[in-house]
């Protein structure tokens, strides 16, 4: 059943983490089967997300990523963790169903939500624009933006999403 596959995947991840000296602590609440393809379990010091097949990727969310995920509303606000990637310099990009959490160890943890995160990735992502340098912001006038190392990604209800190279980033002060 879906419940038993999720439980097996989560238990395997707990065992893998334990072999690395990582203890998430006791389970907190029941197993959450969100859909036919996604389930998760909360623990005292983390969360584990997995799919509902035996070959599903299983991801443990801990530390600063967990703190940022909590501030975004956990699964209800940011969705399923899909694939963490570690870039040169140890910078981590955690892809979630509804955006990215980016961690630069010892410096910051930032979030960028869809549709801005999708625009960032589609237009060249880290290779072209670098990383988010602040959390995504929505102004009272409804403009959403995220500053990047080499640009700015924006969204308005009238114009949709777009991205600008660094030269355009200074214009955000006017928003």
């Amino acid at each position: 059943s879906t419940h038993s596959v999720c439980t097996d995947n989560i238990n395997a991840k707990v065992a893998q983490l334990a072999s690395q000296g990582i203890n998430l602590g006791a389970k907190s609440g029941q197993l959450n089967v969100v859909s036919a393809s996604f389930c998760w379990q909360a623990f005292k010091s983390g969360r584990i997300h997995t799919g509902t097949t035996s070959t599903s990727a299983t991801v443990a969310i801990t530390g600063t990523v967990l703190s940022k995920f909590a501030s975004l509303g956990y699964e209800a606000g940011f969705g399923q963790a899909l694939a963490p990637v570690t870039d040169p310099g140890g910078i981590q990009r955690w892809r979630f169903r509804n955006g990215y959490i980016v961690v630069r160890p010892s410096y910051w943890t930032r979030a960028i939500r869809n549709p801005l995160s999708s625009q960032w990735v589609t237009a060249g992502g880290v290779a072209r624009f670098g990383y988010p340098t602040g959390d995504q912001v929505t102004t009272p006038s409804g403009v959403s933006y995220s500053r990047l190392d080499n640009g700015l990604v924006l969204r308005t209800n009238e114009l949709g999403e777009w991205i600008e190279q660094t030269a355009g980033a200074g214009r955000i002060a006017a928003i």
Side-chain angles (χ1 to χ4, degrees):
S1 76
T2 298
H3 190 276
S4 64
V5 171
C6 288
T7 299
D8 290 347
N9 289 351
I10 289 167
N11 289 339
K13 182 55 103 174
V14 167
Q16 177 192 18
L17 293 170
S19 74
Q20 298 168 358
I22 300 169
N23 182 350
L24 298 180
K27 289 181 180 178
S28 175
Q30 298 296 315
L31 173 70
N32 295 274
V33 179
V34 177
S35 68
S37 61
F38 169 52
C39 51
W40 62 272
Q41 176 70 56
F43 293 83
K44 181 179 180 188
S45 300
R47 273 173 146 65
I48 295 179
H49 286 190
T50 190
T52 57
T53 68
S54 61
T55 59
S56 295
T58 303
V59 178
I61 307 165
T62 61
T64 59
V65 175
L66 180 65
S67 297
K68 181 61 72 174
F69 189 52
S71 76
L72 297 165
Y74 289 114
E75 291 78 12
F78 222 57
Q80 177 184 3
L82 300 172
V85 174
T86 301
D87 293 334
I91 297 174
Q92 300 171 352
R93 287 179 289 138
W94 287 70
R95 188 173 135 227
F96 287 79
R97 184 80 57 207
N98 297 328
Y100 281 81
I101 294 175
V102 181
V103 180
R104 186 172 193 166
S106 302
Y107 292 99
W108 47 250
T109 302
R110 307 287 188 232
I112 182 170
R113 293 180 177 273
N114 288 337
L116 296 185
S117 66
S118 295
Q119 180 66 31
W120 169 52
V121 170
T122 300
V126 171
R128 183 169 176 201
F129 294 99
Y131 298 97
T133 60
D135 284 334
Q136 182 173 319
V137 174
T138 301
T139 69
S141 63
V143 175
S144 296
Y145 68 91
S146 184
R147 293 179 190 272
L148 306 168
D149 288 326
N150 302 313
L152 184 70
V153 61
L154 304 105
R155 181 182 196 293
T156 66
N157 290 334
E158 298 82 22
L159 300 174
E161 303 83 39
W162 75 95
I163 196 162
E164 297 183 11
Q165 290 292 132
T166 302
R171 291 193 287 193
I172 198 64
I175 294 175

